[in-house]
Amino acid sequence: MEKLVIKGGRPLHGRVRVSSAKNAVLPIIVATLLPDSPATIIDAPNLEDVRTISSVIESLGGSVIHKGNEMIFDTSMITKTEASYDLMSRMRASFLVMGPLLAKKRHAKIALPGGCMIGSRPIDLHLKAFEAMGAEITIGNGFVEALAPNGLKGATIYLDFPSVGATENILMAAVLAEGKTIIENAAEEPEIVDLVTFLSSMGANIKGAGTNVIRIEGVKHLYGASHTVIPDRIEAGTFIIAAAMVGGDVVIENVLTEHLKPLLAKLSEAGVVVEKEIDSVHIISQGRIKSADIKTLPYPGFPTDLQAQFMAMMTVGDGVSTITETVFENRFMHVGELCRMGADIRVEGRKAIVHGVPFLQGAFVRATDLRAGAALVLAGLAAHGVTEIGDLHHIDRGYDHLVEKLRGLGADIVRVDKD
């Protein structure tokens, strides 16, 4: 097992390039199950989750070839429709294979999903949609099985909550279904738009991506295409918060600022200098932050995936801030670890009240989930003394070369074996 060792208190300076988006590339890799010929993804991030979902594709009989900065997926010879429990239990995004398998092979048997333990993320929205499209669903022994002997049929589906995963799964099922499918109250995230861009390039007929109503006209076949994934807005936000919290002068490159409006507005409110360019953000900070309140919401609201990092910054803010989490009910597991570093945080249901302290103190802490791990890295960069962070597998799931990128900005951070 490994750990991160961070000596805090060093301002950050320089330029850092953001990798392709984890939350976009995973459903796009799953979508390579749909075409009848190979599909290519360019500049996929080097992440544990990418390796896991690629292994899922291979376990179903597909091939994955790495060629330079390209990943080539050939699923034309897939015969299996039951995904491995071991692989499926590692990450929730693997459940997305149900839609494509059901659409293309008319059958799927999927282990109930795993991933970060940040609250219930029910799959009932997915299953209700598949039933509306004509699938027969059976649940038992830790598996969900879906069968559509006559193929899927288009339907009008209203989502009780604008779930990103459900929207993606329904989209991938609908592109090969017979007739028209309408998704109402659909998720509007940029990652949905990127998936639709990829599906459309393969021959899908989709309108309305980026709005809350998406219309899909089913086609008989899809054909392989090449696609470059959008930049990771959560990685970008993490580096932006790091520069603001620790202090310094940092340019974050390969950023679509339209995707980060809530964060950039809150940073300006907190007294940070934010200069937006066409594809980059320039952050200038003295490391003195005014407290600000946030409330997480589905896109285009403040992203839940940046809540933990923003809370870390508010622990050294000047004043009191309120962090309200509305997306996941158990996404405050980082609070206890931040408090080990001297933070003053009180949780009241879905709200966390953060009283800023003069400084954090280095300590040994554990990453309880992916974004909590990122928050602890930021806290360690700003803290007095040495911080050690364990359970790095969570961080590895979502950040591409995080240590190297931070070292390039002047951070004193190393990855070492545990004693």
Side-chain angles (χ1 to χ4, degrees):
M1 297 294 287
E2 294 179 305
K3 64 182 179 183
L4 294 180
V5 179
I6 305 171
K7 295 178 182 176
R10 297 181 60 164
L12 302 179
H13 295 275
R15 309 176 79 90
V16 62
R17 183 174 177 81
V18 171
S19 298
S20 298
K22 173 185 100 77
N23 289 339
V25 75
L26 300 181
I28 285 171
I29 289 175
V30 171
T32 65
L33 288 167
L34 292 164
D36 296 331
S37 52
T40 301
I41 298 173
I42 301 167
D43 280 337
N46 180 28
L47 302 175
E48 189 60 37
D49 273 9
V50 170
R51 289 186 283 276
T52 298
I53 202 67
S54 298
S55 296
V56 171
I57 299 296
E58 291 176 321
S59 75
L60 294 169
S63 72
V64 183
I65 299 172
H66 294 263
K67 188 176 180 181
N69 68 338
E70 298 180 348
M71 295 180 74
I72 303 168
F73 295 83
D74 186 350
T75 62
S76 58
M77 303 301 290
I78 276 182
T79 55
K80 297 180 183 177
T81 56
E82 181 174 339
S84 149
Y85 168 78
D86 176 58
L87 291 171
M88 299 297 290
S89 64
R90 295 183 197 173
M91 55 182 285
R92 298 191 66 91
S94 53
F95 191 75
L96 294 177
V97 302
M98 177 162 275
L101 288 177
L102 197 53
K104 192 171 182 181
K105 296 296 182 181
R106 303 187 176 188
H107 174 263
K109 186 175 181 181
I110 310 296
L112 291 170
C116 287
M117 301 301 292
I118 57 175
S120 69
R121 294 192 270 185
I123 58 171
D124 61 314
L125 297 179
H126 306 234
L127 301 183
K128 283 165 60 178
F130 295 148
E131 284 182 320
M133 298 171 76
E136 302 164 6
I137 306 293
T138 306
I139 303 176
N141 302 315
F143 283 86
V144 179
E145 188 167 12
L147 186 65
N150 299 314
L152 296 176
K153 313 294 182 184
T156 297
I157 297 158
Y158 178 84
L159 295 178
D160 296 333
F161 177 82
S163 161
V164 173
T167 301
E168 292 167 342
N169 224 344
I170 298 164
L171 269 169
M172 291 187 283
V175 291
L176 292 179
E178 180 184 329
K180 179 181 288 187
T181 299
I182 300 174
I183 309 173
E184 298 177 337
N185 199 30
E188 302 176 34
E189 273 73 359
E191 293 79 13
I192 300 287
V193 177
D194 205 35
L195 173 61
V196 168
T197 300
F198 179 55
L199 291 170
S200 298
S201 71
M202 295 193 296
N205 185 353
I206 306 170
K207 293 180 173 61
T211 76
N212 64 358
V213 179
I214 303 176
R215 293 174 170 82
I216 308 104
E217 190 73 46
V219 299
K220 292 191 179 297
H221 298 281
L222 294 181
Y223 306 95
S226 295
H227 184 74
T228 301
V229 180
I230 58 172
D232 195 316
R233 62 191 171 104
I234 306 303
E235 182 188 341
T238 301
F239 282 115
I240 288 168
I241 294 171
M245 181 179 180
V246 178
D249 187 329
V250 177
V251 175
I252 299 94
E253 300 175 331
N254 195 33
V255 176
L256 296 175
T257 57
E258 286 291 309
H259 296 170
L260 288 165
K261 283 182 177 179
L263 173 64
L264 299 180
K266 283 296 175 181
L267 286 176
S268 295
E269 185 181 318
V272 178
V273 177
V274 178
E275 298 177 352
K276 294 182 283 187
E277 303 295 340
I278 294 175
D279 60 354
S280 65
V281 178
H282 186 187
I283 300 295
I284 302 171
S285 172
Q286 301 300 316
R288 294 189 293 273
I289 305 296
K290 299 175 188 175
S291 291
D293 302 332
I294 61 165
K295 179 179 183 180
T296 66
L297 291 166
Y299 189 86
F302 194 97
T304 181
D305 279 354
L306 287 174
Q307 177 257 107
Q309 299 92 309
F310 194 88
M311 184 187 292
M313 181 171 65
M314 288 298 100
T315 62
V316 291
D318 181 13
V320 180
S321 60
T322 301
I323 312 291
T324 305
E325 174 60 57
T326 73
V327 179
F328 295 124
E329 78 278 8
N330 191 27
R331 204 163 202 179
F332 284 150
M333 291 190 293
H334 46 279
V335 168
E337 300 301 294
L338 289 171
C339 288
R340 286 173 56 81
M341 300 178 70
D344 182 353
I345 307 169
R346 183 178 76 256
V347 175
E348 299 176 354
R350 293 239 176 164
K351 291 185 178 181
I353 313 301
V354 185
H355 290 257
V357 297
F359 60 88
L360 297 176
Q361 185 66 47
F364 180 78
V365 290
R366 296 182 182 277
T368 53
D369 61 68
L370 169 54
R371 306 307 175 184
L376 295 174
V377 170
L378 302 190
L381 293 173
H384 291 189
V386 177
T387 298
E388 298 183 5
I389 304 175
D391 290 346
L392 301 186
H393 59 282
H394 288 299
I395 299 174
D396 292 341
R397 288 186 48 232
Y399 287 92
D400 183 2
H401 293 100
L402 180 63
V403 171
E404 293 84 351
K405 289 179 179 180
L406 287 171
R407 287 177 66 85
L409 295 175
D412 189 341
I413 177 172
V414 293
R415 185 169 180 141
V416 299
D417 290 326
K418 281 189 177 180
D419 297 332

Short mmCIF file of all heavy atoms in Angstrom, two decimals, residues 189-222:
data_model
loop_
_atom_site.label_atom_id
_atom_site.label_comp_id
_atom_site.label_asym_id
_atom_site.label_seq_id
_atom_site.Cartn_x
_atom_site.Cartn_y
_atom_site.Cartn_z
N GLU A 189 -25.88 17.80 -17.99
CA GLU A 189 -24.44 17.94 -17.81
C GLU A 189 -23.67 17.93 -19.13
O GLU A 189 -24.09 17.29 -20.10
CB GLU A 189 -23.92 16.80 -16.92
CG GLU A 189 -23.97 17.06 -15.44
CD GLU A 189 -25.36 17.02 -14.84
OE1 GLU A 189 -26.34 16.79 -15.58
OE2 GLU A 189 -25.49 17.21 -13.62
N PRO A 190 -22.51 18.62 -19.16
CA PRO A 190 -21.67 18.59 -20.37
C PRO A 190 -21.27 17.18 -20.79
O PRO A 190 -21.08 16.92 -21.98
CB PRO A 190 -20.44 19.41 -19.96
CG PRO A 190 -20.91 20.28 -18.85
CD PRO A 190 -21.95 19.50 -18.12
N GLU A 191 -21.15 16.27 -19.82
CA GLU A 191 -20.78 14.90 -20.14
C GLU A 191 -21.86 14.20 -20.95
O GLU A 191 -21.58 13.33 -21.78
CB GLU A 191 -20.49 14.13 -18.84
CG GLU A 191 -19.25 14.61 -18.09
CD GLU A 191 -19.47 15.88 -17.27
OE1 GLU A 191 -20.64 16.29 -17.07
OE2 GLU A 191 -18.47 16.48 -16.82
N ILE A 192 -23.13 14.58 -20.72
CA ILE A 192 -24.23 14.06 -21.53
C ILE A 192 -24.08 14.55 -22.97
O ILE A 192 -24.22 13.78 -23.94
CB ILE A 192 -25.59 14.51 -20.97
CG1 ILE A 192 -25.80 14.01 -19.54
CG2 ILE A 192 -26.73 14.09 -21.89
CD1 ILE A 192 -26.07 12.55 -19.42
N VAL A 193 -23.80 15.83 -23.13
CA VAL A 193 -23.63 16.41 -24.46
C VAL A 193 -22.48 15.72 -25.19
O VAL A 193 -22.58 15.42 -26.39
CB VAL A 193 -23.38 17.92 -24.36
CG1 VAL A 193 -23.13 18.53 -25.75
CG2 VAL A 193 -24.55 18.62 -23.68
N ASP A 194 -21.39 15.43 -24.47
CA ASP A 194 -20.24 14.78 -25.11
C ASP A 194 -20.59 13.37 -25.56
O ASP A 194 -20.19 12.93 -26.65
CB ASP A 194 -19.05 14.77 -24.15
CG ASP A 194 -17.72 14.69 -24.87
OD1 ASP A 194 -17.60 15.27 -25.97
OD2 ASP A 194 -16.79 14.06 -24.33
N LEU A 195 -21.34 12.64 -24.73
CA LEU A 195 -21.78 11.30 -25.12
C LEU A 195 -22.64 11.37 -26.38
O LEU A 195 -22.47 10.57 -27.32
CB LEU A 195 -22.56 10.65 -23.98
CG LEU A 195 -23.22 9.30 -24.31
CD1 LEU A 195 -22.18 8.25 -24.70
CD2 LEU A 195 -24.07 8.83 -23.11
N VAL A 196 -23.55 12.33 -26.43
CA VAL A 196 -24.43 12.48 -27.59
C VAL A 196 -23.61 12.84 -28.84
O VAL A 196 -23.88 12.35 -29.94
CB VAL A 196 -25.52 13.52 -27.32
CG1 VAL A 196 -26.26 13.90 -28.61
CG2 VAL A 196 -26.50 12.99 -26.28
N THR A 197 -22.59 13.67 -28.66
CA THR A 197 -21.71 14.01 -29.79
C THR A 197 -21.07 12.75 -30.37
O THR A 197 -21.01 12.55 -31.59
CB THR A 197 -20.62 15.00 -29.34
OG1 THR A 197 -21.23 16.19 -28.86
CG2 THR A 197 -19.68 15.34 -30.48
N PHE A 198 -20.61 11.86 -29.48
CA PHE A 198 -19.99 10.61 -29.91
C PHE A 198 -21.02 9.70 -30.59
O PHE A 198 -20.77 9.16 -31.69
CB PHE A 198 -19.36 9.90 -28.72
CG PHE A 198 -18.71 8.59 -29.04
CD1 PHE A 198 -17.73 8.50 -30.02
CD2 PHE A 198 -19.06 7.43 -28.36
CE1 PHE A 198 -17.12 7.29 -30.31
CE2 PHE A 198 -18.46 6.22 -28.64
CZ PHE A 198 -17.48 6.14 -29.62
N LEU A 199 -22.18 9.54 -29.97
CA LEU A 199 -23.21 8.69 -30.55
C LEU A 199 -23.65 9.22 -31.93
O LEU A 199 -23.83 8.44 -32.87
CB LEU A 199 -24.42 8.62 -29.62
CG LEU A 199 -24.20 7.86 -28.29
CD1 LEU A 199 -25.40 8.08 -27.37
CD2 LEU A 199 -23.97 6.37 -28.53
N SER A 200 -23.79 10.52 -32.03
CA SER A 200 -24.21 11.12 -33.30
C SER A 200 -23.17 10.91 -34.39
O SER A 200 -23.50 10.67 -35.56
CB SER A 200 -24.47 12.62 -33.12
OG SER A 200 -25.53 12.83 -32.18
N SER A 201 -21.88 10.97 -34.00
CA SER A 201 -20.82 10.75 -34.98
C SER A 201 -20.82 9.32 -35.50
O SER A 201 -20.29 9.03 -36.57
CB SER A 201 -19.45 11.08 -34.37
OG SER A 201 -19.06 10.11 -33.41
N MET A 202 -21.45 8.39 -34.73
CA MET A 202 -21.54 6.99 -35.15
C MET A 202 -22.84 6.71 -35.91
O MET A 202 -23.10 5.57 -36.28
CB MET A 202 -21.43 6.07 -33.94
CG MET A 202 -20.07 6.14 -33.25
SD MET A 202 -19.79 4.79 -32.06
CE MET A 202 -21.06 5.10 -30.83
N GLY A 203 -23.67 7.75 -36.08
CA GLY A 203 -24.89 7.57 -36.87
C GLY A 203 -26.18 7.65 -36.10
O GLY A 203 -27.26 7.44 -36.67
N ALA A 204 -26.13 7.95 -34.79
CA ALA A 204 -27.35 8.07 -34.00
C ALA A 204 -28.10 9.34 -34.36
O ALA A 204 -27.49 10.33 -34.80
CB ALA A 204 -27.01 8.05 -32.51
N ASN A 205 -29.40 9.34 -34.13
CA ASN A 205 -30.27 10.49 -34.42
C ASN A 205 -30.83 11.03 -33.10
O ASN A 205 -31.80 10.50 -32.57
CB ASN A 205 -31.40 10.05 -35.36
CG ASN A 205 -32.27 11.22 -35.81
OD1 ASN A 205 -32.12 12.34 -35.34
ND2 ASN A 205 -33.18 10.94 -36.72
N ILE A 206 -30.17 12.05 -32.56
CA ILE A 206 -30.50 12.57 -31.23
C ILE A 206 -30.61 14.09 -31.29
O ILE A 206 -29.76 14.76 -31.88
CB ILE A 206 -29.42 12.19 -30.19
CG1 ILE A 206 -29.19 10.67 -30.19
CG2 ILE A 206 -29.81 12.67 -28.79
CD1 ILE A 206 -27.98 10.24 -29.39
N LYS A 207 -31.64 14.63 -30.64
CA LYS A 207 -31.82 16.07 -30.57
C LYS A 207 -32.13 16.47 -29.12
O LYS A 207 -32.81 15.75 -28.41
CB LYS A 207 -32.95 16.54 -31.49
CG LYS A 207 -32.65 16.37 -32.97
CD LYS A 207 -33.81 16.86 -33.83
CE LYS A 207 -33.43 16.85 -35.32
NZ LYS A 207 -33.09 15.49 -35.79
N GLY A 208 -31.60 17.63 -28.71
CA GLY A 208 -31.94 18.17 -27.40
C GLY A 208 -30.90 17.96 -26.31
O GLY A 208 -31.15 18.32 -25.15
N ALA A 209 -29.74 17.41 -26.63
CA ALA A 209 -28.71 17.22 -25.60
C ALA A 209 -28.32 18.56 -25.00
O ALA A 209 -28.16 19.55 -25.72
CB ALA A 209 -27.48 16.55 -26.20
N GLY A 210 -28.19 18.61 -23.69
CA GLY A 210 -27.89 19.86 -23.00
C GLY A 210 -29.15 20.57 -22.54
O GLY A 210 -29.07 21.59 -21.85
N THR A 211 -30.33 20.04 -22.89
CA THR A 211 -31.61 20.54 -22.38
C THR A 211 -32.24 19.42 -21.55
O THR A 211 -31.73 18.30 -21.47
CB THR A 211 -32.56 20.94 -23.51
OG1 THR A 211 -33.12 19.76 -24.12
CG2 THR A 211 -31.84 21.76 -24.57
N ASN A 212 -33.40 19.72 -20.94
CA ASN A 212 -34.03 18.70 -20.09
C ASN A 212 -35.00 17.79 -20.86
O ASN A 212 -35.67 16.97 -20.24
CB ASN A 212 -34.73 19.35 -18.89
CG ASN A 212 -35.88 20.25 -19.31
OD1 ASN A 212 -36.15 20.43 -20.50
ND2 ASN A 212 -36.55 20.82 -18.33
N VAL A 213 -35.06 17.95 -22.18
CA VAL A 213 -35.84 17.02 -23.00
C VAL A 213 -34.98 16.57 -24.17
O VAL A 213 -34.53 17.38 -24.98
CB VAL A 213 -37.13 17.67 -23.53
CG1 VAL A 213 -37.90 16.68 -24.40
CG2 VAL A 213 -38.02 18.15 -22.38
N ILE A 214 -34.73 15.26 -24.24
CA ILE A 214 -33.91 14.69 -25.31
C ILE A 214 -34.77 13.75 -26.13
O ILE A 214 -35.48 12.89 -25.58
CB ILE A 214 -32.69 13.94 -24.74
CG1 ILE A 214 -31.84 14.87 -23.86
CG2 ILE A 214 -31.83 13.37 -25.87
CD1 ILE A 214 -30.67 14.18 -23.19
N ARG A 215 -34.69 13.88 -27.45
CA ARG A 215 -35.46 13.05 -28.37
C ARG A 215 -34.51 12.18 -29.19
O ARG A 215 -33.57 12.69 -29.79
CB ARG A 215 -36.32 13.92 -29.29
CG ARG A 215 -37.42 14.68 -28.55
CD ARG A 215 -38.16 15.65 -29.45
NE ARG A 215 -39.35 16.19 -28.80
CZ ARG A 215 -39.32 17.21 -27.93
NH1 ARG A 215 -38.17 17.80 -27.65
NH2 ARG A 215 -40.45 17.63 -27.37
N ILE A 216 -34.80 10.89 -29.21
CA ILE A 216 -33.95 9.94 -29.93
C ILE A 216 -34.80 9.15 -30.92
O ILE A 216 -35.81 8.54 -30.54
CB ILE A 216 -33.27 8.94 -28.96
CG1 ILE A 216 -32.56 9.67 -27.84
CG2 ILE A 216 -32.30 8.04 -29.72
CD1 ILE A 216 -33.29 9.63 -26.51
N GLU A 217 -34.41 9.17 -32.16
CA GLU A 217 -35.06 8.34 -33.19
C GLU A 217 -34.14 7.15 -33.43
O GLU A 217 -32.99 7.30 -33.85
CB GLU A 217 -35.25 9.13 -34.48
CG GLU A 217 -36.13 8.45 -35.52
CD GLU A 217 -37.60 8.46 -35.16
OE1 GLU A 217 -38.12 9.52 -34.76
OE2 GLU A 217 -38.23 7.37 -35.27
N GLY A 218 -34.65 5.94 -33.15
CA GLY A 218 -33.81 4.76 -33.26
C GLY A 218 -33.36 4.49 -34.68
O GLY A 218 -34.08 4.78 -35.65
N VAL A 219 -32.13 3.96 -34.81
CA VAL A 219 -31.60 3.55 -36.11
C VAL A 219 -31.26 2.06 -36.04
O VAL A 219 -31.19 1.48 -34.96
CB VAL A 219 -30.36 4.38 -36.50
CG1 VAL A 219 -30.71 5.86 -36.62
CG2 VAL A 219 -29.23 4.19 -35.47
N LYS A 220 -31.04 1.45 -37.19
CA LYS A 220 -30.78 0.00 -37.22
C LYS A 220 -29.34 -0.34 -36.89
O LYS A 220 -29.07 -1.40 -36.30
CB LYS A 220 -31.16 -0.57 -38.58
CG LYS A 220 -32.66 -0.54 -38.85
CD LYS A 220 -33.01 -1.35 -40.07
CE LYS A 220 -34.52 -1.34 -40.30
NZ LYS A 220 -35.25 -1.98 -39.20
N HIS A 221 -28.40 0.54 -37.25
CA HIS A 221 -26.98 0.23 -37.03
C HIS A 221 -26.22 1.50 -36.68
O HIS A 221 -26.57 2.60 -37.14
CB HIS A 221 -26.35 -0.39 -38.29
CG HIS A 221 -26.95 -1.69 -38.69
ND1 HIS A 221 -26.65 -2.88 -38.06
CD2 HIS A 221 -27.86 -1.99 -39.66
CE1 HIS A 221 -27.34 -3.86 -38.63
NE2 HIS A 221 -28.08 -3.34 -39.60
N LEU A 222 -25.15 1.34 -35.89
CA LEU A 222 -24.18 2.41 -35.67
C LEU A 222 -22.83 1.94 -36.18
O LEU A 222 -22.55 0.73 -36.24
CB LEU A 222 -24.07 2.75 -34.18
CG LEU A 222 -25.30 3.37 -33.51
CD1 LEU A 222 -25.00 3.66 -32.05
CD2 LEU A 222 -25.76 4.63 -34.22
#
